[in-house]
Amino acid sequence: MKKPHADDKLRTRITDMSAFFHNNGRMPSFSELGEIFHLRSKSSVHKAVGKLETLGVISKDNRGRLIPGSIKSTVKLLGTVEAGFPSPAEEELADTISLDDMLIKNREATFLLKVSGDSMSGAGILPGDMVIVDKGQTPKSGDIVIAEVDGQWTMKYLRKRGEAVTLIPANPNYKPIKPKIDLKIAGVVTAVVRKLK
Amino acid sequence: MTPETTHETTGGQPLTIRSWPQAILHIDADAFFASCEQAIHPELKGRPVITGKERGIVAAASYEAKARGVKRGMRLFEVRQVCRDAVILPSDYETYSLFSIRMFEILRRFSPEVEEYSIDEAFVDLTGLRRTFHGSYGSIADKIRRTIERELGITASVGVSLSKVLAKIGSKHNKPNGTTIIPGRDIHLYLERLAVGSVWGIGANTAALLNKHGIYTALQFARKDEAFIKRYLSKPYQAIWRELNGRSVFGVITETKSTYQSISKAKTFTPPSADEAFVFSQVSKNLENACIKARRYKLAATRLIVFIRGQDYRNYGVELRIAPPSAHPYYLIEPLTEGFKKLYKTNILYRQTGVVLSGLVPDDGSGYTLFDDMVKIQKMVKIYEALDTLSAKYGKHTVHHGTSLLTKQQLQHEGDRQDIPVRKTALFKGENRRQRLGLPVLNIKV
């Protein structure tokens, strides 16, 4: 059989001593400690007590009697739990995200843009708003995109029907755009931020 | 992609037959500052773009501008002569830094071993990653290049080879927006037509020495026997020789720089000035800036170099000893003044000043002697700690030495006001002159 680890032995001794304290309401005497620790000689007990004293588990009064230290609360004794149980609140907080995390998916590909026109007002994007643009995403039909159509920059809904691509505004004062020569999509609008105060 | 030479005409045996004992990638962003500007101002794509307006000289030129004969360091009035339609912009270092960080982050998606070599260059160790990315080193390099182009809107050139020196030759080989792969058996093909002085780390003097021994190309250098190399060249050049032969010596250093050999700060001002007090205030501000950086890295200087540059571009410099070592302007202003007095001549117009803190030692208080006034030194430590805290909260130079005051009362550059980048003037609600969101802004009118 494997020899018990020194730390394990120490831990058992502390638990046994603490059990004695809790059962009897007082600290054991040196001879009682001998029984608890399975030690025959007083000097071995003395040595063991010295070790526990340096660990702060117990201390001695001026007449040499033992005073309980950290063994008073059994939770602290077990060493491994000394760090404390995580509070339920902490556990819950592990599942929250910051506004940054919510608004930005791929930071390296994310850009800001200040809106100047009102062609997307129906989608809740107004002049002066900040939109977050992701250049890493592949634009899908229905996305709001920043695009260059025949040399002009615009922000519109992207609609794909088979081969045909149309840019649709969200404001009746503007007309849908069908690219004649070429269409370049600079990025997908993933969020709009409007700070009021 | 091999050079336009065929195997028959090239110089003989390969330098090594091992194809990929290790794979090092070097990436170099193309015309970085100008490309960043084109990325955030898409209407400038395809046009000659130049940055450095606030300095009066070209800091970076887009490939379109380079094609018209614009070169780095050219004066802006010369630019207007060769390229009338050049778009000249003030430098927006905040945006360039954001792009730089992003480029490094993208590289880290591919390999954890990334060395940030400069603002627009990096080395990446790709050894062993072929299986992870299901492809050759060339396909990984292309994927990196394409990701950077798609997400950042800038292009970069990439070289992959067996060592850093060779990877750097690769990235230069096919610029802009190219990938060059140099496996062991092809090294000699790339070195044959390369002047030995173009190899990374070989300067004009070493090239001249090698020329004297009949070595003109990088290949001739690589083929020299070890005895010759050891006899005529010092350790760093022996390392370059090994790297050229495909034996990696310089590892990819992943940790960010935490120590410096020296710290230098220099700044130009326009118009040039002959006003002694003003020129000294510039030197004094350089000193404060250098000390701020030294304190950030917990270093103290034992030597101080002061230099001033005249309008004729001639430099005047002097080196002074500092004892005990310090990073506190309070103790350095006196030697600075002494040095400045030696250099300054009336009736000369100066355009730039600078200081270098060198002989840097850890600022752990070990450099003091029995005769130093420790109480006062401790007091100074506290004062500068408070000053650094104020700077962090309210901006650099919120509190500064009186000797630097004149730099605040006069614009660093004439006409400075219109030379502030858009990012600093067109703010979002909640941003201010000092602090802005850490994301680049696209300047598109939609």
Side-chain angles (χ1 to χ4, degrees), chain B residues 231-249:
Chain B
R231 181 162 169 215
Y232 290 104
L233 298 171
S234 60
K235 281 265 166 66
Y237 299 101
Q238 296 171 15
I240 292 170
W241 175 78
R242 278 191 198 95
E243 288 244 322
L244 282 174
N245 277 289
R247 300 201 292 275
S248 176
V249 183

Side-chain angles (χ1 to χ4, degrees), chain A residues 16-121:
Chain A
D16 292 348
M17 186 166 65
S18 142
F20 183 96
F21 176 74
H22 286 282
N23 293 336
N24 301 289
R26 63 169 176 88
M27 287 301 281
S29 68
F30 268 59
S31 58
E32 282 165 334
L33 268 183
E35 281 169 37
I36 295 168
F37 291 174
H38 309 290
L39 296 170
R40 265 192 226 137
S41 86
K42 278 265 169 72
S43 77
S44 310
V45 174
H46 184 78
K47 221 170 118 187
V49 166
K51 197 160 194 183
L52 294 174
E53 209 181 340
T54 53
L55 287 173
V57 176
I58 50 172
S59 55
K60 283 187 206 153
D61 66 8
N62 49 12
R63 291 168 68 188
R65 287 199 207 108
L66 300 180
I67 301 167
S70 60
I71 62 161
K72 274 186 294 187
S73 52
T74 43
V75 180
K76 265 193 164 177
L77 271 180
L78 297 168
T80 44
V81 272
E82 214 154 345
F85 287 107
S87 81
E90 253 172 73
E91 279 290 273
E92 292 304 317
L93 285 177
D95 294 332
T96 63
I97 55 168
S98 70
L99 270 172
D100 251 34
D101 294 338
M102 186 179 84
L103 296 175
I104 299 166
K105 199 169 142 213
N106 176 5
R107 197 172 181 93
E108 282 89 74
T110 301
F111 291 76
L112 304 176
L113 193 152
K114 197 173 213 160
V115 179
S116 47
D118 61 354
S119 70
M120 290 304 280
S121 57

Side-chain angles (χ1 to χ4, degrees), chain B residues 267-289:
Chain B
K267 227 165 188 167
T268 51
F269 41 88
T270 45
S273 172
D275 176 357
E276 184 171 357
F278 177 74
V279 179
F280 184 72
S281 74
Q282 290 285 342
V283 183
S284 161
K285 193 173 177 183
N286 291 150
L287 178 73
E288 289 199 66
N289 280 328

Side-chain angles (χ1 to χ4, degrees), chain B residues 357-378:
Chain B
L357 297 179
S358 67
L360 295 173
V361 294
D363 191 10
D364 51 9
S366 57
Y368 300 119
T369 67
L370 197 57
F371 305 105
D372 294 321
D373 183 350
M374 284 315 294
V375 177
K376 194 165 178 189
I377 288 170
Q378 283 311 317

